[in-house]
Structures are given as structure tokens and as C-alpha cells.
Amino acid sequence: MKKLVLIGIGLLFTLTVAAQSGLKTGMKAPEFTAKDNTGKSINLTRILKSHQAVVLFFYRGQWCPYCNLHIKQLQDSLQQLTAKGAYVIGVTPETGDNINKTIEKTHASFSIIQDKGYKIMDAYDVKFVMDEGLVEKYKGYGVDLNKNNGNSDHVLPVPATYIIDRTGKITYVHFDKDFKKRASVAALLKAL
């Protein structure tokens, strides 16, 4: 039954995000500054001065088993990613309390940013607003976005991943509207 629920959510999600296309390889990565889950100021340009690359990924929330699996895989391979000079950053619309739940579930030790005003999601063209019918269906599956995100905007990101090099250029993109498909660690390591 749980698998059918996830398939239903996936189909609805895929149909809803038709307008987003994400940024492309070779484009200049949009600059951003935000506080992460530890209160640290994260500035893309500053990080790129001290790292070879940034692995920037977007996730929907602690309630999403595919997000948690992806985050766990990134955490499990964090030494390999950082050995290649990467700094990993997750971006989500979920509240700080729910980010803490994500960390409890995945043991993530990298920066996670709550994108309250959706500036980062907008800049990377991954933001979508769910219609009321889809919001109600999610509620039927036990997902209350108002509670998880701390607002009634009903915004989620396409779970995309970007690698940004020292020059600020996007060198790798994984953008798939099917939320079950994520960038593999092997693909990220190869691209770094």
C-alpha cells in the first residue's frame, strides 16, 4: 500500500512540475548567501574561493523517503566528495525543526539551508507551487506541507543537483522531474 501511495505522489508531482526546466551546464551559477542549519553564513562565492566545487542539491523534506535516501548516500560518501575539493549544500523549504529531523534520519553533517523566501529555488529554476488539489492529496498521504514548511505557500523544489566549479560555472546538472531519480554519488564523483 505504501508503495502505491508513493507512486501516486510521484505521478502527481511529475505532472505538476511541467513548467520547470532547471539551469543548464555551462551557465553561470546564481550567487546566494543564506544561513545554514548551524547558523553559519553560506556564501557561494566565498565557498568557491576555498573549495574546488560546490555540490548544491535541492530536497523536498524529511517526510520524503527518496530525499532521505539521497542525503544518506551523500553523507556516506562525504569523505570522497570532500577529498575532491567539494563543499556539499542542501536546500529545502522545510522548517529548521524539520531540517533537524532530516539530520536525525540521515546523519547529514554538511550545510542545509532553509530557503524561506524561495530565492535560491527561484534562481535555480527548481521551485514549483502545488495546486490545492495536489496539496489535499498529499495530506491524504500524511504529508502536511503547511506544518513541514511553516507556511501555506505549498512550495516544493524539483530535487535537482548542480556542481558549480571555482569560476562559478555549472559543470554538472541532474534535473529530473521524477522525484525518485537522483544524482548518484558515482556520477558526482566522476564530474568533480
Side-chain angles (χ1 to χ4, degrees):
M1 178 67 177
K2 189 173 183 178
K3 189 172 185 175
L4 289 174
V5 168
L6 289 173
I7 290 169
I9 288 175
L11 179 60
L12 293 169
F13 178 85
T14 302
L15 294 173
T16 303
V17 297
Q20 285 71 31
S21 61
L23 301 182
K24 306 296 181 217
T25 301
M27 294 177 76
K28 179 84 172 151
E31 172 62 36
F32 63 86
T33 300
K35 295 252 186 245
D36 75 3
N37 54 301
T38 67
K40 179 180 175 182
S41 180
I42 302 297
N43 173 272
L44 180 63
T45 300
R46 237 184 3 245
I47 289 172
L48 288 172
K49 286 181 181 176
S50 59
H51 293 81
Q52 294 297 317
V54 165
V55 174
L56 178 69
F57 73 96
F58 296 84
Y59 77 94
R60 302 174 331 142
Q62 57 83 24
W63 50 268
C64 171
Y66 296 98
C67 297
N68 291 330
L69 177 61
H70 187 236
I71 292 168
K72 180 94 173 83
Q73 290 168 343
L74 291 170
Q75 178 60 39
D76 290 348
S77 301
L78 191 58
Q79 274 190 312
Q80 292 174 289
L81 295 165
T82 58
K84 291 208 169 214
Y87 189 93
V88 178
I89 304 170
V91 177
T92 182
E94 71 179 344
T95 65
D97 287 342
N98 285 305
I99 289 172
N100 289 337
K101 289 179 185 177
T102 296
I103 292 167
E104 286 172 23
K105 291 176 181 180
T106 65
H107 307 288
S109 63
F110 43 78
S111 292
I112 299 178
I113 295 170
Q114 178 189 7
D115 194 10
K116 284 185 185 178
Y118 317 117
K119 290 179 183 173
I120 302 170
M121 286 187 265
D122 279 333
Y124 285 80
D125 195 24
V126 299
K127 174 187 144 189
F128 75 94
V129 180
M130 298 169 60
D131 65 42
E132 202 54 46
L134 187 55
V135 170
E136 289 305 313
K137 286 195 188 274
Y138 269 53
K139 279 184 186 175
Y141 298 133
V143 178
D144 184 348
L145 290 179
N146 292 1
K147 185 177 176 182
N148 285 309
N149 295 352
N151 60 46
S152 59
D153 297 345
H154 306 138
V155 169
L156 290 177
V158 173
T161 303
Y162 297 94
I163 293 178
I164 304 159
D165 74 7
R166 281 196 108 148
T167 69
K169 186 186 289 188
I170 297 171
T171 59
Y172 172 88
V173 175
H174 177 88
F175 184 95
D176 194 319
K177 294 172 186 172
D178 181 347
F179 72 91
K180 297 180 297 271
K181 297 178 181 174
R182 307 298 172 102
S184 72
V185 172
L188 296 175
L189 289 169
K190 184 176 179 184
L192 284 169

